[in-house]
Amino acid sequence: GWEIVRMIIALARYKGALVVAEGVEEPAQAERLRELECDRAQGFLYGRPLEAPAAEELLRRQSAAPGGEGAAN
């Protein structure tokens, strides 16, 4: 459960690593990860998988946006 997630995040902090949660599907999961200070998250909550051409277009649009690095987190 969440205790394991908390321990993994703590270990990553100790080692100086960035923490990326995968498989986030529900807003409650994202909120709990924020509370645990997880650095990044990905999953169906944020977007469905894309075919390569669509992913390339998305990256092109994001890099052309103000700030040039696309969406954070």
Side-chain angles (χ1 to χ4, degrees), residues 9 13 19 32-39:
I9 292 171
R13 292 279 172 265
V19 181
R32 184 68 177 125
L33 289 165
R34 277 190 289 276
E35 291 170 358
L36 294 173
E37 299 181 14
C38 183
D39 297 304

Side-chain angles (χ1 to χ4, degrees), residues 21-27 29 41-50:
E22 296 184 2
V24 179
E25 296 181 6
E26 300 175 8
Q29 293 171 317
Q42 64 184 40
F44 286 164
L45 178 64
Y46 303 104
R48 298 287 182 182
L50 298 173

Side-chain angles (χ1 to χ4, degrees), residues 1 4 8 10 16-18 22-23 25 28 31 39-40 43-44 47 51 53-55 59 67 73:
I4 293 171
I8 291 169
L18 183 75
E22 296 184 2
E25 296 181 6
E31 179 58 31
D39 297 304
R40 303 277 189 273
F44 286 164
E51 296 291 331
L59 292 172
N73 206 7

